[in-house]
C-alpha cells in the first residue's frame, strides 16, 4: 500500500501515534480546517468526539475517507445520511470504556445505598447522627442497553448481589426486549441508562418512565444525554416521585454554570467522566494504532459500527 494520509481531528490530538506516523502522512486539523482536510484523507481519526464538525463537514458524493474511527463508544455525533449511505467504514472505541463505566455506576449505587453524601454532610456539620442504610444485596436493577457497556454494568452490579434485568432493543437469551421495560420498572431499585442514542430511543426516559418507578428508586444515566427528558427527571425529583438520580451525560454539554440542573434536589452531577480513568487517552491511541495496522495489512477491522443501527452489533 502506498503512503496513506491520516487526518486527526481535534484541538488536543493524541500525544503519540508513532506506529501510524512511521507508515502514513499524519495531518492534525480543527473545526475550521476539517472541511478542506477530509477529501484528502484515507483515514480519519475523530479524537474530538464531542463535536458535530465531522457530520457538518462530511463531503457527501465527493472524495472521502475510506475509514473513520472515533475515540468514543457513541457515534451519534458523526452520523449523517451521506456517511450512512457511503461505503466508508466506521469503527468505535469499544473495549476501552466498558469496565471503567461499570465501576463508576457501581460506585454511585454503593454511595446512594449507604448514604455517603449524608455522612459527609453530617461530618461537615460535626454531628454524630446514627442512621440505617440500604442493604445492596437483593435489590433489583434494570439496566437499559444490552451492549458491552450495559453488560459490564450488569455483571459488576451482580457481583455486589444485585439482581439485574438487562434490557435491549430485542429479546435474546439473557436479555429482555424493550417492550418488557414498563413491566420491570415498578420493582426496580436502580434504573441505569447505558443505551446508545438512536432516533428510536431519543427521550425514552420521560415522565411515563419516572412515574412507573417506585418512590425509593434511583435513576442513573451513563448512556447519552438526549436519552433523558431532563425537565421530566427534574419534576420527578422535586416532587420526590423517585428518591434520587445521577447524570454523567447531558443534552447540552458542558453544563452551563447557570443551568438549573446543578441545584435539583437529589441529583448528582458529573461532567461526562464515568469512563475516563488514568491513561485512557493512551489506551485510545493504542487501540486506533492496532486497528490501523490491521487496515494496512488488509485484515478485517475491529469494532465495525452498523451505521444504520448506530452501534457495533453484539456478538
Amino acid at each position: 500500500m502506498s503512503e496513506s494520509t491520516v487526518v486527526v481531528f481535534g484541538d488536543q490530538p493524541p500525544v503519540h501515534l508513532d506506529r501510524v506516523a512511521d507508515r502514513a502522512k499524519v495531518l492534525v486539523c480543527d473545526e475550521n480546517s476539517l472541511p478542506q482536510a477530509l477529501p484528502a484523507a484515507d483515514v480519519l481519526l475523530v479524537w474530538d468526539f464531542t463535536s458535530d464538525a465531522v457530520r457538518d463537514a462530511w463531503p457527501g458524493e465527493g472524495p472521502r475517507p475510506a475509514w473513520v474511527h472515533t475515540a468514543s463508544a457513541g457515534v451519534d455525533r458523526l452520523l449523517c445520511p451521506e456517511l450512512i449511505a457511503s461505503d466508508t467504514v466506521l469503527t468505535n472505541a469499544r473495549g476501552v470504556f466498558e469496565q471503567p463505566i461499570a465501576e463508576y455506576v457501581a460506585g454511585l449505587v454503593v454511595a446512594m445505598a449507604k448514604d455517603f453524601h449524608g455522612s459527609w454532610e453530617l461530618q461537615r456539620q460535626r454531628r454524630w447522627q446514627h442512621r440505617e442504610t440500604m442493604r445492596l444485596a437483593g435489590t433489583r436493577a434494570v439496566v437499559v442497553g444490552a451492549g458491552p457497556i450495559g453488560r459490564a454494568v450488569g455483571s459488576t452490579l451482580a457481583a455486589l448481589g444485585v439482581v439485574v434485568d438487562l434490557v435491549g432493543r430485542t429479546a435474546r437469551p439473557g436479555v429482555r426486549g424493550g417492550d418488557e421495560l414498563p413491566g420491570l420498572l415498578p420493582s426496580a431499585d436502580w434504573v441505569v441508562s447505558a443505551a446508545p442514542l438512536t432516533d428510536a430511543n431519543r427521550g425514552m426516559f420521560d415522565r411515563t418512565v419516572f412515574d412507573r418507578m417506585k418512590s425509593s428508586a434511583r435513576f442513573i444515566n451513563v448512556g447519552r444525554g438526549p436519552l433523558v427528558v431532563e425537565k421530566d427527571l427534574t419534576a420527578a425529583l422535586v416532587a420526590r416521585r423517585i428518591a434520587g438520580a445521577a447524570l454523567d451525560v447531558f443534552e447540552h454539554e458542558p453544563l452551563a454554570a447557570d443551568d438549573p440542573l446543578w441545584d435539583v434536589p437529589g441529583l448528582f452531577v458529573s461532567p461526562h467522566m464515568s469512563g475516563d480513568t488514568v491513561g485512557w487517552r493512551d489506551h485510545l491511541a493504542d487501540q486506533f494504532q492496532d486497528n490501523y495496522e490491521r487496515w494496512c495489512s488488509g485484515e478485517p477491522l475491529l469494532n465495525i459500527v452498523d451505521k444504520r443501527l448506530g452501534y457495533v452489533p453484539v456478538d
Side-chain angles (χ1 to χ4, degrees), residues 89-92 94 291 300-306 311-313:
V89 177
L90 175 62
T91 60
N92 72 353
R94 175 179 175 177
N291 230 5
L301 293 174
L302 302 178
N303 296 353
I304 294 179
V305 173
D306 184 322
Y311 52 84
V312 178

Side-chain angles (χ1 to χ4, degrees), residues 142-165:
V142 172
V143 179
V144 182
I149 292 175
R151 287 184 291 172
V153 169
S155 61
T156 302
L157 293 180
L160 297 172
V162 178
V163 179
V164 177
D165 287 303

Side-chain angles (χ1 to χ4, degrees), residues 38 42-47 49 54-55 58 64-94 197 287-288 291 295 300-313:
L38 268 179
D42 297 295
V43 179
L44 172 66
L45 168 58
V46 183
W47 194 251
F49 50 80
V54 173
R55 183 171 58 199
W58 192 255
R64 55 186 179 269
W67 168 34
V68 174
H69 177 81
T70 179
S72 63
V75 299
D76 51 279
R77 304 297 292 263
L78 305 177
L79 290 178
C80 60
E82 293 81 9
L83 174 55
I84 293 172
S86 74
D87 56 1
T88 296
V89 177
L90 175 62
T91 60
N92 72 353
R94 175 179 175 177
L197 178 64
Q287 181 189 58
F288 171 70
N291 230 5
W295 187 72
L301 293 174
L302 302 178
N303 296 353
I304 294 179
V305 173
D306 184 322
K307 293 182 290 185
R308 299 197 178 276
L309 292 177
Y311 52 84
V312 178

Side-chain angles (χ1 to χ4, degrees), residues 258-296:
D258 60 351
D259 195 295
L261 285 173
W262 291 107
D263 299 315
V264 174
L267 177 62
F268 180 86
V269 170
S270 58
H272 204 148
M273 58 178 283
S274 61
D276 301 345
T277 53
V278 175
W280 66 287
R281 293 177 178 85
D282 292 334
H283 295 317
L284 289 171
D286 288 341
Q287 181 189 58
F288 171 70
Q289 292 188 111
D290 290 344
N291 230 5
Y292 179 77
E293 290 179 352
R294 297 177 69 91
W295 187 72
C296 288

Side-chain angles (χ1 to χ4, degrees), residues 144-313:
V144 182
I149 292 175
R151 287 184 291 172
V153 169
S155 61
T156 302
L157 293 180
L160 297 172
V162 178
V163 179
V164 177
D165 287 303
L166 191 60
V167 178
R169 187 170 60 94
T170 56
R172 55 185 183 273
V175 178
R176 295 176 178 268
D179 58 340
E180 298 181 70
L181 178 60
L184 296 171
L185 291 170
S187 62
D189 300 289
W190 317 97
V191 177
V192 181
S193 164
L197 178 64
T198 66
D199 289 339
N201 63 17
R202 184 180 295 270
M204 68 176 296
F205 294 99
D206 58 8
R207 177 174 179 173
T208 302
V209 169
F210 301 127
D211 282 350
R212 287 197 174 103
M213 293 168 59
K214 56 186 180 181
S215 60
S216 59
R218 274 94 167 186
F219 173 77
I220 297 170
N221 186 19
V222 290
R224 307 299 281 179
L227 294 170
V228 178
V229 180
E230 293 172 349
K231 65 180 179 60
D232 290 356
L233 174 61
T234 296
L237 289 167
V238 170
R240 298 186 178 180
R241 294 199 301 270
I242 62 174
L247 298 179
D248 185 57
V249 288
F250 301 86
E251 185 170 3
H252 302 290
E253 297 182 7
L255 201 62
D258 60 351
D259 195 295
L261 285 173
W262 291 107
D263 299 315
V264 174
L267 177 62
F268 180 86
V269 170
S270 58
H272 204 148
M273 58 178 283
S274 61
D276 301 345
T277 53
V278 175
W280 66 287
R281 293 177 178 85
D282 292 334
H283 295 317
L284 289 171
D286 288 341
Q287 181 189 58
F288 171 70
Q289 292 188 111
D290 290 344
N291 230 5
Y292 179 77
E293 290 179 352
R294 297 177 69 91
W295 187 72
C296 288
S297 62
E299 297 179 60
L301 293 174
L302 302 178
N303 296 353
I304 294 179
V305 173
D306 184 322
K307 293 182 290 185
R308 299 197 178 276
L309 292 177
Y311 52 84
V312 178

